[in-house]
């Protein structure tokens, strides 16, 4: 049982940035990503899932503000420098993605994509089950924006990871517990039990 009771019928699973760019041998490789895919897939099979994906610009100059400096540093992930398909979901999750469930986002938080916000509204979402990468970057950014918008957040600890395992653990052990009235940290098994 989750701390705040059963999950609402308006619960949506948000699987963040589970892309080849992070799974394969790139400068943004997250070695533990493929280890969480079975848990993410189990949740995706259990109910409505959206797949926000991080989409990089064509050139650093196309990005606003400090994102220009960011993509100057990470020029290897601008689109002309990526192998074809690197922005796609990993195969096991691409096979589960329903039409319209993959939403491009230009920054860390999925809420930066108007289409994501519109989809949540259209679905009547009030609770978000959150999985994906990286725990301490895009996952955290999305969770914090979700908190600010009043969503109940269920963070699935064994269905998220990071290229920085210390950052992953710090987020789960130190940062998210500070939002104890808005975020519940659970296992995949507990989320599935509460969602069935």
């Amino acid at each position: 049982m989750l701390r705040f009771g059963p999950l609402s019928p308006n619960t949506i699973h948000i699987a963040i940035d589970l892309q080849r760019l992070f799974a394969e041998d790139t400068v943004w490789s997250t070695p533990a990503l493929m280890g969480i895919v079975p848990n993410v897939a189990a949740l995706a099979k259990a109910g409505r899932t959206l797949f926000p994906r991080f989409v990089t610009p064509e050139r650093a100059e196309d990005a606003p503000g400090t994102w220009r400096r960011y993509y100057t540093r990470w020029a290897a992930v601008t689109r002309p420098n990526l192998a074809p398909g690197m922005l796609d979901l990993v195969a096991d999750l691409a096979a589960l993605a329903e039409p319209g469930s993959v939403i491009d986002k230009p920054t860390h938080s999925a809420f930066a994509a108007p289409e994501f916000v519109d989809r949540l509204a259209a679905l009547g979402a009030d609770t978000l089950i959150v999985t994906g990468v990286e725990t301490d970057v895009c996952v955290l950014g999305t969770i914090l924006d979700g908190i600010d918008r009043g969503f109940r957040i269920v963070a699935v600890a064994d269905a998220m990871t990071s290229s920085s395992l210390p950052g992953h653990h710090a987020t789960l052990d130190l940062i998210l517990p500070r939002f104890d009235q808005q975020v519940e940290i659970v296992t995949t098994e507990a989320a599935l039990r509460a969602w069935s």
Side-chain angles (χ1 to χ4, degrees):
M1 175 69 80
L2 269 64
R3 194 157 39 103
F4 297 126
L7 292 175
S8 155
N10 297 323
T11 296
I12 306 296
H13 171 214
I14 309 301
I16 299 168
D17 295 352
L18 291 155
Q19 299 162 252
R20 292 179 56 200
L21 173 61
F22 301 103
E24 299 184 20
D25 185 18
T26 71
V27 295
W28 280 357
S29 176
T30 301
L33 186 150
M34 293 308 294
I36 67 168
V37 167
N39 288 342
V40 175
L43 289 160
K45 291 173 186 173
R48 292 178 296 184
T49 299
L50 297 178
F51 295 92
R53 65 177 187 159
F54 196 81
V55 175
T56 60
E58 289 289 332
R59 305 171 308 146
E61 297 79 21
D62 296 336
T66 59
W67 285 101
R68 286 188 197 120
R69 181 170 60 228
Y70 182 82
Y71 283 113
T72 298
R73 161 65 178 90
W74 295 107
V77 300
T78 55
R79 279 185 257 170
N81 296 321
L82 287 176
M86 277 294 149
L87 296 178
D88 294 345
L89 298 179
V90 297
D92 290 351
L93 298 176
L96 298 174
E98 296 179 0
S101 66
V102 178
I103 298 169
D104 294 348
K105 63 184 182 73
T107 62
H108 298 135
S109 173
F111 285 92
E115 182 185 354
F116 178 77
V117 176
D118 292 346
R119 285 298 306 280
L120 291 181
L123 293 168
D126 57 20
T127 301
L128 306 180
I129 295 174
V130 182
T131 63
V133 297
E134 297 198 34
T135 311
D136 49 337
V137 185
C138 293
V139 171
L140 179 60
T142 299
I143 287 174
L144 293 176
D145 277 351
I147 289 169
D148 284 350
R149 287 165 170 79
F151 288 98
R152 178 185 183 184
I153 304 290
V154 177
V156 186
D158 59 355
M160 56 180 66
T161 192
S162 178
S163 61
S164 166
L165 292 180
H168 165 78
H169 291 298
T171 302
L172 291 172
D173 297 341
L174 301 173
I175 297 171
L176 292 182
R178 298 201 58 189
F179 302 94
D180 65 338
Q181 297 306 300
Q182 294 146 319
V183 178
E184 294 155 276
I185 303 170
V186 302
T187 62
T188 300
E189 181 183 1
L192 288 169
R193 271 200 316 267
W195 208 15
S196 58

